Amino acid sequence: MILRSRRLRFAFVAVAVLLLAGGSLGYVLHARHRERPLRQAGADASFTLEEPGLYFLDAATGRVARGPGQDAERVAGGPACDRFHTAGEHALCLRKLPGTPARTEALVLDRRLREVRRVTVPGIPNRARVSASGQLLSWTTFAAGDSYATSAFSTRTSILDLRTGYLVKSVEQIPLTLDGVRHHRPDVNYWGVTFARDDNRFYATVSTGGRTHLVEGDLRNWSAKALRENVECPSLSPDGTRIAFKKKVSEDLRAPWRLYVLDLATMREQPSAEPHSVDDQAVWLDDSALAYALPGRDGRTSDIWSVPADGTGAPRLLAAGGSSPAHR
């Protein structure tokens, strides 16, 4: 009986050792698998953000490229990202990390694409924006669901201040004034931050009660107020007078939005000449033109287009097989 008991204990210990070894080996293999694509995703030594022009994600390589937009002329030597934006002295590269639950790595880079800071947050990469100075950065991830066209989604939006190093993990905690009163609801979601040049004010979309609103936020006073309904993914013009946004014009989930521009002084809105549904946070190429991504002809990738901001003209193709445009 004693011998049998000893054999059972030995067998148990042996199995435990094998399980621990197997678990350790599995962890090492997983870590190697996880780290390898991140190392390979680094930028080429010669690729920087020093040159002016259009930067975007190239669909063929998954890496940041610099225009012109023709395939033969573009240089795709930047880091691999799922979402990207750059302005001022910094860039923001969002990467979806492997495994479940979904996690996103927010990688802050300088103009030579050297790492400044790395933050890991839950969810799937969705929106990325850097202030004109490069000192404020914001990102949005989908915590649940994967489309703004339905109500079954939840977002998480963060703001990082590189001047102080302070990270606002969730903008949802900011006191919100809606229709003149303090708003308290558990269904509040923020996304699509865009910064003013003073590195204090920001604009964003807030969703609550089945409606979306444009909000103006004040970081210094830690407050936000709703300005207008049915405004999504705002983008402030370089001169700070207008906001490009996507407006919901249809209940058709295949094409619910159109690209509009709002004058902040008069609160008058103007539709752009883009006839297709735009599910993107547009960027301003200058004070007169917008850039944005539309689904490509292959149905798998997207193309970057441009259109005048005043409602005139016609869309023109900037970069086939591109997304996440940014203009420096």
Side-chain angles (χ1 to χ4, degrees):
M1 192 70 180
I2 295 175
L3 181 59
R4 182 181 178 185
S5 177
R6 288 177 176 174
R7 286 176 176 173
L8 287 174
R9 284 199 301 269
F10 177 78
F12 175 79
V13 171
V15 170
V17 170
L18 287 173
L19 288 174
L20 288 172
S24 298
L25 179 61
Y27 174 79
V28 171
L29 290 177
H30 173 72
R32 288 177 179 174
H33 174 74
R34 175 171 56 83
E35 292 170 358
R36 186 181 301 117
L38 295 185
R39 286 198 298 268
Q40 292 175 347
D44 295 345
S46 61
F47 190 95
T48 72
L49 303 176
E50 300 289 349
E51 294 188 29
L54 181 70
Y55 290 82
F56 56 94
L57 292 182
D58 177 61
T61 63
R63 303 175 70 179
V64 176
R66 182 174 59 245
Q70 300 301 318
D71 291 343
E73 299 173 311
R74 72 179 58 166
V75 179
C81 309
D82 293 302
R83 290 291 185 272
F84 173 80
H85 191 252
T86 180
E89 297 301 315
H90 294 100
L92 179 59
C93 172
L94 303 185
R95 297 170 176 167
K96 184 182 183 300
L97 294 174
T100 55
R103 295 177 304 145
T104 290
E105 179 181 69
L107 192 61
V108 181
L109 307 168
D110 65 15
R111 294 180 69 166
R112 300 193 65 82
L113 298 173
R114 295 170 298 197
E115 182 176 333
V116 174
R117 185 162 173 179
R118 187 182 301 220
V119 179
T120 300
V121 294
I124 302 169
N126 180 251
R127 300 288 184 234
R129 193 53 54 111
V130 183
S131 70
S133 69
Q135 297 304 313
L136 292 177
L137 304 97
S138 178
W139 55 83
T140 298
T141 60
F142 270 124
D146 60 358
S147 175
Y148 294 118
T150 70
S151 59
F153 71 87
S154 176
T155 60
R156 178 176 178 145
T157 294
S158 304
I159 295 178
L160 173 62
D161 188 342
L162 292 178
R163 299 167 301 183
T164 62
Y166 185 72
L167 172 65
V168 178
K169 294 182 179 180
S170 177
V171 182
E172 291 178 4
Q173 307 305 317
I174 194 169
L176 172 64
T177 299
L178 180 61
D179 297 327
V181 298
R182 178 75 165 86
H183 186 73
H184 301 273
R185 280 184 70 115
D187 68 344
V188 169
N189 279 306
Y190 281 87
W191 66 84
V193 169
T194 183
F195 296 104
R197 285 192 173 272
D198 61 7
D199 277 345
N200 176 58
R201 288 179 301 116
F202 68 91
Y203 298 88
T205 299
V206 67
S207 171
T208 181
R211 299 184 299 167
T212 60
H213 305 266
L214 171 69
V215 298
E216 181 181 12
D218 186 318
L219 290 175
R220 192 174 299 114
N221 294 318
W222 194 235
S223 63
K225 61 180 178 180
L227 301 180
R228 187 180 185 87
E229 193 174 340
N230 197 10
V231 174
E232 298 185 52
C233 298
S235 181
L236 186 64
S237 61
D239 62 12
T241 64
R242 291 154 294 159
I243 282 181
F245 67 100
K246 63 178 195 181
K247 178 179 180 178
K248 190 173 183 179
V249 296
S250 171
E251 296 301 323
D252 185 352
L253 298 183
R254 296 169 298 180
W257 300 290
R258 290 293 185 274
L259 184 61
Y260 274 68
V261 173
L262 174 69
D263 187 304
L264 289 172
T266 64
M267 283 295 166
R268 293 177 181 174
E269 60 184 38
Q270 171 70 51
S272 73
E274 174 54 69
H276 296 96
S277 182
V278 177
D279 183 10
D280 195 16
Q281 186 175 17
V283 298
W284 293 77
L285 299 175
D286 51 37
D287 280 320
S288 63
L290 304 169
Y292 50 92
L294 288 177
R297 293 182 180 178
D298 60 8
R300 296 179 292 105
T301 61
S302 60
D303 301 327
I304 298 174
W305 292 78
S306 176
V307 71
D310 62 2
T312 64
R316 64 184 182 92
L317 182 64
L318 285 184
S323 63
S324 291
H327 192 262
R328 295 187 59 89

